[in-house]
Amino acid sequence: MRILAAMSGGVDSAVAAARAVEAGHDVVGVHLALSRAGGTLRTGSRGCCTIEDALDARRAADVLGIPFYVWDFSERFRDDVIGDFVAEYRAGRTPNPCMRCNEKIKFAALLARAIELGFDAVCTGHYATLIDGEGGRELHRAADDAKDQSYVLGVLTAEQLAHTYFPLGTTPSKAVVRAEAAARGLSVAQKPDSHDICFIPDGDTRGWLAEKVGTATGEIVDREGSVVGSHEGAHAFTVGQRRGLNLGIPAADGKPRFVLEVRPVSNTVVVGPKEALAIAEIAGTRHSWAGAAPVDAEFACEVQIRAHAEPVAAQAFVEPDGVRVVPRVPLDGVAPGQTAVLYVGTRVLGQFTIDRTVSAVPAGA
């Protein structure tokens, strides 16, 4: 196949490209420039897509003997990922920018351009497995549970999966990938993995949002509506947060309180006991299927609401206005804006963005 290898400058994408070359494919490397004002150097494992990363990707391509290009996707990234991130926080939701980047950039904009140029597939260093099943290509978990990235790939559609290549999916561990990189003479063999949000390299999400969204004093209230504190901007709070609340009135039982809800219209933050974070039902309208859509409108599955959360057995309902999921045991600290990914065993069925939740502990209970 003609393969376009997305090379981030990290060890995973470098080894994935190397394996594509070794498999006999015609491979071209490409690095995506996602920011026109990125820092010149990383800070440890923080940040990505810097000038240093582009140079590391080029060096890896040189070792592999493949053509290499840098493509400017900064405008798309600004609009579809950063813009979405800010808009979601303004709306009181907690977004996952990695999901949007995979959905809008790596497997939409990049894949579309690759196909236009005659490539058969885009290759990345993601840890996930593709299986050609009876109903078409299926997305499954990686062999290494610790590195599995199928959750953040849950936004991929059947058409996108048909043009995707994940050479690392069956690799037993990251240590194997690093050893292979070293044996191949790739300088990124021991390069730290990227963590946190790539466009906020200092890790100060609250400060970054304050610059983008601004500050506005508002009230912190309990479930009964009594004012128990104040804040400088509701966007700085997420469901499940305990620290940094600065409440002026302690709870009657003396126990810690957690953020239960963010109301952007009134600039209000609702807090309450930890028990109230238990969620009995979630639903969302923005959904997609990773392959063939379910045949039945109701089916048993597992739901996962964070990248490394344990999947929970559930019943899913495909309804006219989206997807609704009822877990067998309550979910903990679910925030609107998060992504719910549905599985059956190791297979990813699809995903939806959570916009409605039902508490397992009603107010006053």
Side-chain angles (χ1 to χ4, degrees):
M1 294 190 296
R2 290 197 70 210
I3 299 289
L4 185 68
M7 303 181 71
S8 67
V11 62
D12 293 327
S13 61
V15 171
R19 291 185 180 183
V21 172
E22 189 172 62
H25 300 300
D26 178 11
V27 181
V28 173
V30 63
H31 178 80
L32 302 185
L34 301 181
S35 173
R36 294 183 178 179
T40 58
L41 295 174
R42 286 165 151 251
T43 302
S45 61
R46 293 187 183 275
C48 72
C49 314
T50 63
I51 293 173
E52 178 189 355
D53 291 315
L55 294 175
D56 285 340
R58 180 177 294 279
R59 281 189 284 265
D62 289 343
V63 170
L64 300 178
I66 61 174
F68 177 81
Y69 300 92
V70 175
W71 288 356
D72 182 1
F73 275 35
S74 59
E75 289 188 9
R76 285 291 301 267
F77 187 77
R78 179 197 64 202
D79 295 341
D80 294 340
V81 179
I82 299 177
D84 175 82
F85 184 81
V86 173
E88 287 290 278
Y89 265 102
R90 279 188 175 134
R93 295 187 287 265
T94 303
N96 186 324
C98 293
M99 303 291 287
R100 296 288 81 79
C101 187
N102 283 334
E103 177 186 14
K104 301 292 187 178
I105 306 298
K106 295 175 183 174
F107 298 98
L110 176 62
L111 182 55
R113 183 178 294 186
I115 292 174
E116 288 176 0
L117 294 174
F119 288 94
D120 299 302
V122 165
C123 164
T124 72
H126 286 99
Y127 288 79
T129 307
L130 295 171
I131 296 176
D132 290 321
E134 293 182 0
R137 181 162 286 187
E138 299 173 353
L139 175 64
H140 287 255
R141 293 188 184 276
D144 181 6
D145 287 339
K147 292 299 295 181
D148 174 55
Q149 292 175 296
S150 60
Y151 172 86
V152 295
L153 297 169
V155 291
L156 301 190
T157 65
E159 176 64 20
Q160 291 168 336
L161 291 175
H163 298 282
T164 300
Y165 184 38
F166 298 137
L168 304 188
T170 58
T171 307
S173 72
K174 181 63 173 274
V176 171
V177 171
R178 291 196 181 280
E180 182 177 332
R184 292 180 181 275
L186 297 170
S187 62
V188 293
Q190 298 304 319
K191 185 175 180 177
D193 293 338
S194 293
H195 296 294
D196 299 316
I197 301 171
C198 69
F199 51 86
I200 309 179
D202 64 0
D204 183 13
T205 303
R206 177 178 289 195
W208 188 90
L209 282 169
E211 292 182 2
K212 300 294 182 181
V213 180
T215 59
T217 301
E219 296 178 339
I220 301 177
V221 302
D222 61 20
R223 299 185 89 190
E224 287 69 42
S226 298
V227 177
V228 295
S230 63
H231 62 78
E232 295 300 321
H235 62 269
F237 297 84
T238 59
V239 172
Q241 180 178 332
R242 173 186 173 184
R243 299 185 183 279
L245 301 184
N246 297 319
L247 302 179
I249 301 175
D253 59 8
K255 293 182 179 179
R257 284 180 287 201
F258 298 76
V259 174
L260 304 180
E261 185 183 352
V262 177
R263 299 172 179 170
V265 175
S266 61
N267 194 29
T268 304
V269 175
V270 182
V271 297
K274 182 176 177 59
E275 297 76 32
L277 289 171
I279 297 298
E281 183 177 306
I282 58 176
T285 55
R286 190 165 68 177
H287 68 282
S288 63
W289 304 111
V295 175
D296 300 318
E298 177 182 346
F299 54 89
C301 63
E302 296 85 46
V303 61
Q304 185 171 327
I305 59 170
R306 298 182 186 87
H308 300 293
E310 288 294 322
V312 175
Q315 199 73 9
F317 303 85
V318 182
E319 301 175 337
D321 61 345
V323 179
R324 180 170 59 90
V325 171
V326 179
R328 290 187 184 174
V329 296
L331 301 171
D332 183 39
V334 183
Q338 286 180 269
T339 301
V341 176
L342 307 182
Y343 291 81
V344 170
T346 62
R347 182 186 174 189
V348 176
L349 291 182
Q351 61 80 39
F352 63 91
T353 300
I354 300 168
D355 55 29
R356 302 187 305 280
T357 63
V358 176
S359 175
V361 183

